[in-house]
Amino acid sequence: MSTIDVVAADGLPAVRIITPRRVADARGFFSEVWRADTMGNCGIDVQFVQENHALSRAVGTIRGMHFQTGKSAQAKLVRCARGSILDVAVDIRRGSPTFGHHAAIVLSAENWKQAYIPAGFAHGYCTLEPDTEVIYKVNAYYDPPFEQGLLWNDPDVAIPWPVEAGRAVLAEKDHTHPRLAELPDFFPFASYPDPHG
């Protein structure tokens, strides 16, 4: 029996919701949060090279919508180790049948869900609780010259953020990313198809 459940996100089959099982006893719990064999059987064949850990103090902190391009394009596996977030992926692969669509998934320390976001998607999240900690693996190193972004509140994408625009806590750079219609064709769908499995 698999120790990890994997399902496609509603409306975006390339994005996967991964729920590791937790085995609890009097000491606490144990969980296999990543298994390459299980993921490979689900069409996720990826080798992670970097893991990041972010703490956000305030509720309504938005980090996103970020991605890297070219040789540094990243797939991500995101989980929330403390608190909770609304995790969002937007399909920016021109030619994709779901181009411009988004998936929004609550990840929390309680529900133990993770989100796998392949290259070709902008990614971001909003904190739902104070002192929230997010851990995510990536399969390409952080590479500033290839860092890009999508405007977090682009009305054409219409992400249902759980915070009013004037109350959102963002980095200055996240206010200045281009809208979806202005993005170059970084990820043609033919080169970044949906995974199979």
Side-chain angles (χ1 to χ4, degrees):
M1 178 181 291
S2 173
T3 59
I4 302 177
D5 296 320
V6 182
V7 298
D10 288 343
L12 283 185
V15 174
R16 304 297 175 90
I17 303 170
I18 299 169
T19 309
R21 298 187 184 176
R22 290 190 284 197
V23 179
D25 62 21
R27 300 167 297 173
F29 72 82
F30 174 83
S31 181
E32 293 181 350
V33 296
W34 170 258
R35 283 188 60 115
D37 55 353
T38 300
M39 297 302 106
N41 290 337
C42 296
I44 300 172
D45 184 15
V46 63
Q47 181 179 353
F48 294 118
V49 298
Q50 181 177 325
E51 184 173 82
N52 304 314
H53 188 152
L55 167 67
S56 297
R57 295 284 186 201
V59 174
T61 298
I62 293 178
R63 295 178 184 258
M65 301 291 294
H66 304 149
F67 58 95
Q68 292 190 169
T69 61
K71 67 178 181 62
S72 297
Q74 293 177 326
K76 298 178 179 180
L77 180 69
V78 185
R79 66 188 183 101
C80 185
R82 180 184 183 192
S84 58
I85 61 173
L86 183 71
D87 198 67
V88 180
V90 177
D91 189 348
I92 57 173
R93 302 168 300 165
R94 292 199 183 275
S96 165
T98 56
F99 176 75
H101 295 196
H102 68 268
I105 307 153
V106 173
L107 307 180
S108 71
E110 183 177 350
N111 71 18
W112 211 234
K113 292 180 179 180
Q114 303 179 64
Y116 174 76
I117 298 131
F121 290 74
H123 171 257
Y125 60 85
C126 179
T127 57
L128 304 175
E129 299 180 48
D131 297 323
T132 287
E133 296 186 49
V134 173
I135 298 170
Y136 60 101
K137 296 175 172 62
V138 293
N139 71 334
Y141 295 110
Y142 174 61
D143 197 350
F146 292 90
E147 185 179 17
Q148 299 286 338
L150 169 68
L151 185 64
W152 69 280
N153 59 350
D154 182 346
D156 293 333
V157 180
I159 296 168
W161 294 112
V163 61
E164 295 175 15
R167 295 181 177 270
V169 179
L170 292 108
E172 188 60 35
K173 67 177 182 177
D174 291 338
H175 289 285
T176 60
H177 294 310
R179 292 173 59 167
L180 182 67
E182 301 165 339
L183 285 182
D185 189 8
F186 291 123
F187 300 101
F189 183 60
S191 299
Y192 294 88
D194 287 353
H196 301 286

